[in-house]
């Protein structure tokens, strides 16, 4: 276990290092990142002064080292547009995105898992075919379109829910559904597969032979055993949700990190964009790491392929 | 190919038998229809996509204003929605085709190089692949467009930049399994150069799985292009693009439902048909991965 853990931890550390390097170089794709950081009205002298304050007139390798050192101290810089520390700006928006991701995960889980169980139980029947069609459709649905359709139906026509903007629970419902639909499809498919896997096992056959009803079998045994892959997929799905939040938050004017990304791009507040991308990458790497560890704790056989090579 | 005739037959037969199978036919037709619309857009579209008509603003589907019939309604500048939809198909498909080709070519070459050369090339390429795959692709695309600026060319470049690792990983794994096959060893023994071995002997044998990846990526690229355009980071106005049309429609949900509804429906149909075609292709070519998700 210790060996697998260390190895996997090393991989995660390399990935984090790689991502920061990637972001550092993407910034320099156009040559001079100063132009990304100054407002469009800046004069030549402003740009020159900025270049010096940022240390961009120093050698690339020094800049890179400084960049890494600042990150290690959780110093993401100050926004030039708002003149506030980037960490403060992000901290103010983070709760909104967390609430949205939580809501979406809830929707995906509560709908996706039962649908997956149903799909597995009724495999080969017409009702299952129709349901599978719905799942496939949900997977191909662009989130911005489903979001807009939700607004049309539930806010404009029926008037049941507020169309957009921040607020209480009722404001969170539609964004969560729009964002959760995609993950719902994933959960349904994974649940279906893992239940079908379980159904072919010996203990199921012997339980059936003892006369255990299918319903009882599924609820008492299968769901528990089949939940292992679902849980680990859930960890990965969270990072998809964070990326999807950019779109959904824009559609619903929900003031989380996703909307902040777009606002920062428009107002040319590049340090904020960079911080959000780094945060998203770190969360993804961290969750992947956790999922692998969790998986290997639940099912020790997994470690075999990650063993010494 | 000739080294393993029985395998080649086993792959091809069900392919021929099921490719045109009835359940898939409507989706293949939908996809073909979009391709035709995109290619012949100027001939099919009833009006010019960018001509404004301020008297015909926000007209519902079927409205007639001064002899101009808005079959699917008009947008906030009085432009014909149907014509813009047809021209928008061009943007979606062109961006997807180009970015899939570019990322597929780059990824395949790097993956094959890593799988064949092994050693440090393998270590470097595959670590870079891991890094790229550990960042949510949407975020990576957004930050790169933010740096490079919006526009069609940049969108294609960004999509290629963010998606090549998917092909590299598949090409790498496939090359590893093929590289020690007797026919490859024989070719090497007979003095074939590295490039010849890679492109003449290995590539044709690993192209199947790569095609499946490309099909599944294609739908994703259509969605990515639309997402970037929706966020204002893609193709710039007045060029018609489904994502940008949706973003306009978002502002008129309460007064003009048609502006957002039709581009969204097109996007949905296109992506759904491409995904289903990709899924069935994958089932045919690679039965083992029948249940896995595309990402």
């Amino acid at each position: 276990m210790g060996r697998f853990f260390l190895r996997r931890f090393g991989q995660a550390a390399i990935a984090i290092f790689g991502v920061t390097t990637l972001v550092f170089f993407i910034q320099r794709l156009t040559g001079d990142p100063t132009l990304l950081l100054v407002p469009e009205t800046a004069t030549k002298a402003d740009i020159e002064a900025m270049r010096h304050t940022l240390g961009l007139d120093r050698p690339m390798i020094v800049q890179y080292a400084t960049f890494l050192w600042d990150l290690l101290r959780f110093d993401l810089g100050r926004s030039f547009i708002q003149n506030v520390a980037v960490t403060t700006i992000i901290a103010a928006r983070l709760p909104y995105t967390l609430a949205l991701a939580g809501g979406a995960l809830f929707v995906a889980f509560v709908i996706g898992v039962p649908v997956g169980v149903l799909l597995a139980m009724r495999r080969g029947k017409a009702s299952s075919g129709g349901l599978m069609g719905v799942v496939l459709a949900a997977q191909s649905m662009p989130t911005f379109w489903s979001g807009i359709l939700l607004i049309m139906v539930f806010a404009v026509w029926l008037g049941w829910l507020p169309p957009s903007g921040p607020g209480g629970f009722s404001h969170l419902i539609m964004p969560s559904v729009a964002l959760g639909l995609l993950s719902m499809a994933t959960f349904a498919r994974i649940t279906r597969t893992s239940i079908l896997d379980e159904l072919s096992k010996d203990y199921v056959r012997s339980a059936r032979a003892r006369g255990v009803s299918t319903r009882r079998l599924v609820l008492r045994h299968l769901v528990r055993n089949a939940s292992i892959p679902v849980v680990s997929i859930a960890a990965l799905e969270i990072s998809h949700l964070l990326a999807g939040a950019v779109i959904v938050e824009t559609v619903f004017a929900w003031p989380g990190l996703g909307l902040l990304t777009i606002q920062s791009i428009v107002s040319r507040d590049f340090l904020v964009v960079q911080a959000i991308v780094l945060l998203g990458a770190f969360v993804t790497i961290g969750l992947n790491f956790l999922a692998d560890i969790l998986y290997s704790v639940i099912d020790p056989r997994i470690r075999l392929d990650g063993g010494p090579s | 190919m000739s080294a393993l005739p029985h395998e080649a037959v086993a792959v091809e037969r069900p392919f021929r038998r099921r490719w045109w199978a009835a359940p898939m036919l409507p989706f293949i037709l939908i996809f073909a229809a979009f391709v035709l619309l995109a290619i012949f857009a100027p001939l099919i579209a009833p009006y010019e996509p960018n001509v404004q008509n301020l008297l015909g603003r926000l007209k519902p589907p079927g409205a007639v204003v001064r002899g101009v019939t808005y079959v699917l309604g008009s947008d906030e500048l009085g432009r014909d929605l149907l014509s813009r939809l047809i021209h928008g198909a061009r943007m979606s498909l062109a961006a997807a085709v180009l970015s899939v080709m570019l990322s597929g070519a780059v990824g395949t070459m790097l993956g094959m190089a890593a799988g064949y050369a092994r050693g440090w090339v393998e270590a470097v390429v595959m670590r870079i692949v891991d890094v790229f795959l550990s960042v949510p692709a949407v975020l990576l695309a957004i930050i790169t467009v933010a740096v490079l600026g919006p526009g069609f060319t940049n969108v294609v470049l960004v999509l290629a930049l963010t998606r090549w690792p998917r092909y590299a990983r598949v090409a790498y794994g496939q090359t590893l399994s093929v590289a020690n096959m007797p026919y490859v060893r024989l070719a090497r023994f007979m003095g074939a150069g590295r490039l010849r071995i890679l492109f003449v002997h290995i590539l044709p044998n690993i192209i199947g799985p790569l095609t499946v990846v490309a099909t599944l990526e294609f739908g994703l690229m259509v969605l990515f292009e639309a997402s970037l355009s929706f966020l204002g980071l893609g193709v710039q106005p007045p060029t018609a693009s489904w994502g940008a049309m949706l973003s306009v429609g978002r502002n008129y949900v309460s007064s003009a439902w048609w502006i957002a509804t039709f581009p969204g429906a097109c996007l949905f149909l296109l992506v759904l048909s491409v995904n289903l075609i990709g899924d069935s292709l994958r089932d045919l070519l690679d039965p083992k991965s029948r249940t896995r998700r595309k990402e």
Side-chain angles (χ1 to χ4, degrees), chain B residues 24-92:
Chain B
M24 287 315 298
L25 195 58
F27 299 104
I28 295 170
L29 290 180
I30 290 175
F31 181 66
F34 276 117
V35 171
L36 290 179
L37 280 183
I39 295 174
F40 299 108
L43 301 176
I44 300 170
Y47 304 104
E48 280 292 311
N50 294 331
V51 169
Q52 305 182 2
N53 175 6
L54 295 182
L55 286 176
R57 296 171 69 233
L58 301 174
K59 290 285 174 265
V64 181
V65 177
R66 291 200 177 171
V68 174
T69 313
Y70 295 112
V71 178
L72 293 181
S74 67
D75 68 5
E76 86 286 9
L77 297 171
R79 296 174 295 196
D80 178 41
L81 208 63
L82 177 62
S83 305
R84 290 184 68 72
L85 271 182
I86 294 172
H87 280 266
R90 280 193 147 178
M91 276 305 128
S92 285

Side-chain angles (χ1 to χ4, degrees), chain B residues 168-182:
Chain B
R169 186 167 270 183
V170 175
Y172 166 74
Q174 293 290 322
T175 306
L176 276 187
S177 66
V178 169
N180 277 322
M181 290 277 191

Side-chain angles (χ1 to χ4, degrees), chain B residues 1-290:
Chain B
M1 266 317 210
S2 57
L4 298 164
H6 54 287
E7 280 203 9
V9 170
V11 170
E12 243 151 58
R13 242 210 227 125
F15 187 92
R16 288 218 179 108
R17 197 172 57 225
R18 283 167 54 187
W19 173 238
W20 294 103
M24 287 315 298
L25 195 58
F27 299 104
I28 295 170
L29 290 180
I30 290 175
F31 181 66
F34 276 117
V35 171
L36 290 179
L37 280 183
I39 295 174
F40 299 108
L43 301 176
I44 300 170
Y47 304 104
E48 280 292 311
N50 294 331
V51 169
Q52 305 182 2
N53 175 6
L54 295 182
L55 286 176
R57 296 171 69 233
L58 301 174
K59 290 285 174 265
V64 181
V65 177
R66 291 200 177 171
V68 174
T69 313
Y70 295 112
V71 178
L72 293 181
S74 67
D75 68 5
E76 86 286 9
L77 297 171
R79 296 174 295 196
D80 178 41
L81 208 63
L82 177 62
S83 305
R84 290 184 68 72
L85 271 182
I86 294 172
H87 280 266
R90 280 193 147 178
M91 276 305 128
S92 285
L93 287 172
V97 167
L98 289 175
S99 57
V100 163
M101 275 173 26
L102 199 58
S103 54
V106 172
T108 304
M109 272 192 261
L110 287 173
M112 285 201 317
Y116 189 70
R118 310 295 302 265
W120 66 268
V121 179
E122 176 187 30
V124 171
V125 172
M126 294 324 286
R127 282 298 84 71
I128 296 179
V129 166
D130 286 345
V131 168
F132 268 91
L133 289 179
S134 65
V135 194
V138 179
L139 286 183
L140 197 59
I142 285 175
I143 189 180
T144 319
V145 177
V147 171
L148 290 178
F152 181 77
T153 320
N154 284 348
V155 166
V156 170
L157 286 178
V158 163
L159 294 183
L161 174 82
T162 43
R163 301 312 293 180
W164 67 269
R166 296 266 301 150
Y167 303 90
R169 186 167 270 183
V170 175
Y172 166 74
Q174 293 290 322
T175 306
L176 276 187
S177 66
V178 169
N180 277 322
M181 290 277 191
Y183 69 91
V184 175
R185 270 188 281 167
L186 183 65
R188 201 183 307 152
F189 179 67
M190 294 182 64
R194 278 192 177 188
L195 287 180
R196 187 177 165 81
I197 290 178
L198 281 177
F199 287 99
V200 178
H201 296 284
I202 295 186
L203 185 60
N205 287 290
I206 66 172
I207 201 84
L210 286 169
T211 315
V212 174
V213 176
T215 324
L216 294 173
E217 282 285 301
F218 192 90
L220 213 56
M221 291 303 96
V222 170
L223 277 183
F224 270 36
E225 186 276 326
S227 306
L228 288 174
S229 299
F230 178 79
L231 296 172
L233 301 172
V235 184
Q236 293 299 293
T239 314
S241 142
W242 293 345
M245 292 166 80
L246 271 158
S247 131
V248 170
R250 164 70 186 86
N251 299 327
Y252 293 94
V253 272
S254 50
S255 52
W257 57 269
W258 52 92
I259 303 182
T261 306
F262 294 124
C266 285
L267 205 51
F268 170 65
L269 278 177
L270 177 59
V271 174
L272 180 68
S273 58
V274 173
N275 280 351
L276 288 175
I277 293 171
D279 269 352
S280 71
L281 256 186
R282 175 176 51 183
D283 289 354
L284 295 175
L285 293 177
D286 182 12
K288 271 174 294 183
S289 69
R290 188 161 293 167

Side-chain angles (χ1 to χ4, degrees), chain A residues 132-266:
Chain A
M132 198 65 199
V134 174
V135 169
L136 279 174
Q139 214 164 19
S140 305
M141 196 94 166
T143 24
F144 37 99
W145 192 47
S146 50
I148 292 174
L149 288 182
L150 284 172
I151 295 179
M152 278 182 190
V153 174
F154 292 102
V156 178
W157 289 345
L158 298 172
W160 289 353
L161 293 167
S164 63
F169 181 68
S170 60
H171 287 80
L172 192 58
I173 296 176
M174 283 198 295
S176 301
V177 172
L179 186 55
L181 266 185
L182 203 67
S183 305
M184 182 277 281
T186 311
F187 282 136
R189 290 182 96 168
I190 302 283
T191 307
R192 171 177 176 272
T193 316
S194 55
I195 293 244
L196 286 179
D197 278 356
E198 289 295 316
L199 274 176
S200 64
K201 288 190 177 159
D202 286 343
Y203 78 91
V204 174
R205 207 175 311 156
S206 51
R208 280 224 166 118
R210 287 201 312 274
V212 180
S213 74
T214 316
R215 190 191 162 86
R216 185 183 161 84
L217 191 65
V218 167
L219 293 180
R220 297 216 55 172
H221 303 284
L222 290 180
V223 169
R224 194 184 305 164
N225 287 334
S227 66
I228 298 170
V230 177
V231 166
S232 72
I233 286 292
L236 305 184
E237 216 42 48
I238 293 174
S239 64
H240 286 227
L241 292 178
L242 291 180
V246 177
I247 305 276
V248 172
E249 288 179 5
T250 308
V251 172
F252 289 97
W254 183 256
L257 290 179
L259 190 60
L260 178 65
T261 315
I262 300 306
Q263 288 168 339
S264 305
I265 289 177
V266 172

